[in-house]
Each structure stands twice: as structure tokens, then as C-alpha cells.
Amino acid sequence: MADDNLPEDSKLTLTKRKWAEAGKFLTGSIARPDTDRLPPGQHLVKNWPVLDLGQQPSVSTAQWKLDVRGLVNKPVSLDWTAFQNLPQTQMRSDIHCVTTWSRYDNDWRGVSTHDFLDAVDPKEEAAAVLLTSYDGYTTNLLLSDFAVSDAIIVTHWEGKPLTEEHGGPVRLVVPHLYFWKSAKWLHRIEFLSRDQAGFWEKNGYHMRGDPWAEERYSDD
Ligand SMILES: Nc1nc2c(c(=O)[nH]1)N[C@H]1C(S)=C(S)[C@@H](COP(=O)(O)O)O[C@H]1N2
Ligand SMILES: [Mo]
């Protein structure tokens, strides 16, 4: 009964299956019970605070590029037009910052990391990503965390272009981890065989940062 038109054993399908299997062990916000919506030690805010290292780079959409490097079969540099030509997705998710504020129901638009990964085609050995931003900030994620179904590379918030102070023109949003993993002014994604510490991770923050496990700071 095999349909020759269904590429069930194509590399892409196998890779997707691998992420799906990895994802099933994760605790993304979608699968969480409502009673567990606010992680321990967090309080709700209605406004959206601005947090960064203090240098907010001005990057126009014409200047912006996303450089994809390392263990991928398609090491592309996406400009704004190429990025807009990827499938566009809308998602709603909560923000949990390690400084204890949380903000519910943020409406995002952009490219899901699923669709992005389809486009750049990570090699089998890829296990982690290191993100670099236009302000020099870096942060790291396991590929299985980057690839969850509610992670999105964002250009719009509540229907409007993401403002400069919140990381426009393009930032990452990974809602099941503390917000320091969600790089603003995203410029480069490097695929690595091993998890490599970014800025805050080198400065005492946890390598993974799961808010429900209160993975705020590293133990050593
Ligand atoms: N490029 C860049 N991204 C960054 C940061 C930064 O300093 N530079 N700070 C991180 C931290 S610690 C937090 S809490 C969130 C804050 O995002 P917001 O200012 O949109 O609330 O961005 C994260 N992403
Ligand atoms: Mo933060």
C-alpha cells in the first residue's frame, strides 16, 4: 500500500520524526495543565518589561540578515525577503523571565522553528544551537528545545512589527524556557554537536532554564 509520492523515508521526514520523538519528552506550555500555568516563584505582570545588556542596536529590515552556520546542509544567509518567503505562522504564548515576572497571552507572528529547520536541514550530528545577536549577546539551546512546536522566530507582536526595544526586527521566542533564551535582534544561528554556553550561561545562569523546574542558576 506504499504510495510512491509519500517520501516516508526521506531525510526530512526522518529528521522531523526524530524531533517529534524528542519533543514528546519535553514539557512545552501546550501540554501543561492550566493549574500549572504560572511557574514557581513567578508573579504576573500586565505590561511588558524591557531587559537587555543596555545596548539596543538599530537594525533596519533592509540591513538585517540571519546567518545560519555550522552543522546544516543549507548554510544560508537569509535576508528580510527570503525570511518573509518562509511559511508565516501565528502563535500565542506566555513569557517567564528569570527576574520573576511572567506575562500571559502574547500574540506572535513569524516563522516557526519547525519551518525554519525544514529550510536549513540540520545534519544528523547537530545537537545544539548557539544564537548570536546584533548587540553581541549569545545564548544556547539544545536542538530538541529549539525545535519544540511553540518556538517561533518572531517579527510581529500583537499584529505590529516588533519594536526595537523588544528585539526588532527579528527575535526568537521559546516559551517553555526562561526568557533569556529568547534572543532579541537575532543575527546568527550556529548548529553544534555539543551544547556550548552563551553569555548568561557563562555568568552563572542554568544551561537549560526550565521555569517549572526553577532552573535559574547553575549549581556549580
Ligand atoms: N540580544 C539580546 N537578547 C536578549 C537579551 C539581551 O541582552 N540581548 N536579554 C535576554 C533577557 S535576560 C530577557 S529577560 C529578554 C527580555 O526581552 P524583552 O526586553 O523583550 O522583555 O531578552 C533576552 N534576550
Ligand atoms: Mo532576563
Side-chain angles (χ1 to χ4, degrees), residues 48-57 95-99 101 108 132-139 162 165-167 171-172 178-186 199-200 205:
W48 184 7
V50 174
L51 283 100
D52 50 56
L53 300 176
Q55 300 288 327
Q56 298 183 346
I95 296 171
H96 306 296
C97 175
V98 72
T99 61
W101 59 270
W108 309 110
T132 305
S133 298
Y134 277 96
D135 61 342
Y137 184 80
T138 55
T139 191
L162 194 62
E165 61 179 4
H166 285 300
R171 79 174 299 162
L172 183 68
Y178 283 124
F179 210 37
W180 88 76
K181 296 289 186 182
S182 293
K184 310 204 280 191
W185 311 294
L186 184 60
F199 177 81
W200 283 120
Y205 282 36

Side-chain angles (χ1 to χ4, degrees), residues 6 8 19 105 123 129-130 133 152 168 182 185 195 203 216:
L6 286 177
E8 290 187 339
W19 295 329
D105 293 327
K123 295 180 193 274
V129 290
L130 184 65
S133 298
I152 181 167
S182 293
W185 311 294
D195 203 13
N203 285 282
R216 297 176 190 273

Side-chain angles (χ1 to χ4, degrees), residues 67-93:
D67 295 333
V68 183
R69 296 291 179 263
L71 299 170
V72 285
N73 291 313
K74 292 176 193 143
V76 289
S77 288
L78 297 168
D79 65 10
W80 182 256
T81 306
F83 191 73
Q84 295 302 316
N85 284 336
L86 295 175
Q88 303 291 310
T89 304
Q90 300 194 40
M91 295 189 192
R92 172 174 285 193
S93 62

Side-chain angles (χ1 to χ4, degrees), residues 81-209:
T81 306
F83 191 73
Q84 295 302 316
N85 284 336
L86 295 175
Q88 303 291 310
T89 304
Q90 300 194 40
M91 295 189 192
R92 172 174 285 193
S93 62
D94 301 342
I95 296 171
H96 306 296
C97 175
V98 72
T99 61
T100 77
W101 59 270
S102 292
R103 188 179 190 281
Y104 285 168
D105 293 327
N106 298 275
D107 286 311
W108 309 110
R109 193 173 95 210
V111 175
S112 72
T113 58
H114 267 200
D115 288 327
F116 168 78
L117 289 166
D118 275 356
V120 302
D121 191 16
K123 295 180 193 274
E124 282 294 310
E125 318 88 85
V129 290
L130 184 65
L131 314 174
T132 305
S133 298
Y134 277 96
D135 61 342
Y137 184 80
T138 55
T139 191
N140 57 289
L141 295 150
L142 290 175
L143 186 52
S144 53
D145 279 324
F146 181 79
V148 297
S149 59
D150 57 355
I152 181 167
I153 304 169
V154 157
T155 57
H156 286 72
W157 176 75
E158 310 213 323
K160 294 183 283 279
L162 194 62
T163 59
E164 190 172 296
E165 61 179 4
H166 285 300
V170 180
R171 79 174 299 162
L172 183 68
V173 171
V174 180
H176 74 290
L177 298 178
Y178 283 124
F179 210 37
W180 88 76
K181 296 289 186 182
S182 293
K184 310 204 280 191
W185 311 294
L186 184 60
H187 184 34
R188 181 185 158 103
I189 303 181
E190 190 178 1
F191 287 76
L192 302 166
S193 59
R194 289 197 317 190
D195 203 13
Q196 187 183 311
F199 177 81
W200 283 120
E201 294 82 3
K202 281 184 196 153
N203 285 282
Y205 282 36
H206 197 277
M207 281 295 270
R208 180 152 187 260

